[in-house]
Amino acid sequence: YSDVKVGAALLTADGKIYTGCNVENASFGVTLCAERVAVAKAISDGIRDFKAIAVISSLRFITPCGICRQTLNEFAPEIEIVMEAEDGYTVQCLTDLLPASFGMRDKK
Ligand code: THU
């Protein structure tokens, strides 16, 4: 529907790579981003330790959306995010992209 193509590659702590693409829906809000598809594939395989995620798209220079940042924060608050940039790519820590994040892990 959007004609935007997004791909993500999630690197696990034990060196595996899970890929994902955006999965759109006629009911637009149902759409899944590539990053969350990659995370769900890994989690459903029982893997929840992640080192990095790369994201690339047919729009240049995208960063993960807010929902994807929150999803990543649940499992890997310090994950490195690799994104396309003018001169190749750039890497940022999720803590920089999602400061003062909400979590329940340490609160229970
Ligand atoms: N999209 C992603 O897959 N990842 C992002 O981080 C941002 C947006 C997708 C969702 C939708 O299919 C399309 O890009 C346009 O928003």
Side-chain angles (χ1 to χ4, degrees):
Y1 295 99
S2 72
D3 206 34
V4 176
K5 298 163 184 65
V6 185
L10 178 67
L11 177 64
T12 69
D14 56 359
K16 292 199 188 80
I17 293 174
Y18 282 88
T19 58
C21 67
N22 51 331
V23 182
E24 297 198 331
N25 192 286
S27 178
F28 299 162
V30 177
T31 290
L32 292 170
C33 291
E35 298 93 318
R36 276 177 288 141
V37 171
V39 168
K41 283 169 71 176
I43 296 291
S44 68
D45 265 359
I47 296 166
R48 50 166 73 201
D49 293 328
F50 307 127
K51 275 164 85 168
I53 187 165
V55 56
I56 195 152
S57 94
S58 55
L59 294 176
R60 297 192 73 198
F61 314 138
I62 68 158
T63 65
C65 81
I67 294 176
C68 291
R69 293 178 198 200
Q70 181 66 24
T71 300
L72 292 166
N73 184 65
E74 185 69 24
F75 302 101
E78 301 195 344
I79 194 169
E80 299 282 316
I81 300 175
V82 183
M83 297 159 287
E84 188 186 10
E86 195 77 60
D87 52 354
Y89 66 91
T90 182
V91 185
Q92 271 191 282
C93 187
L94 181 61
T95 52
D96 295 322
L97 292 184
L98 190 68
S101 64
F102 171 74
M104 302 229 296
R105 281 231 182 134
D106 304 326
K107 297 192 168 60
K108 281 187 190 164

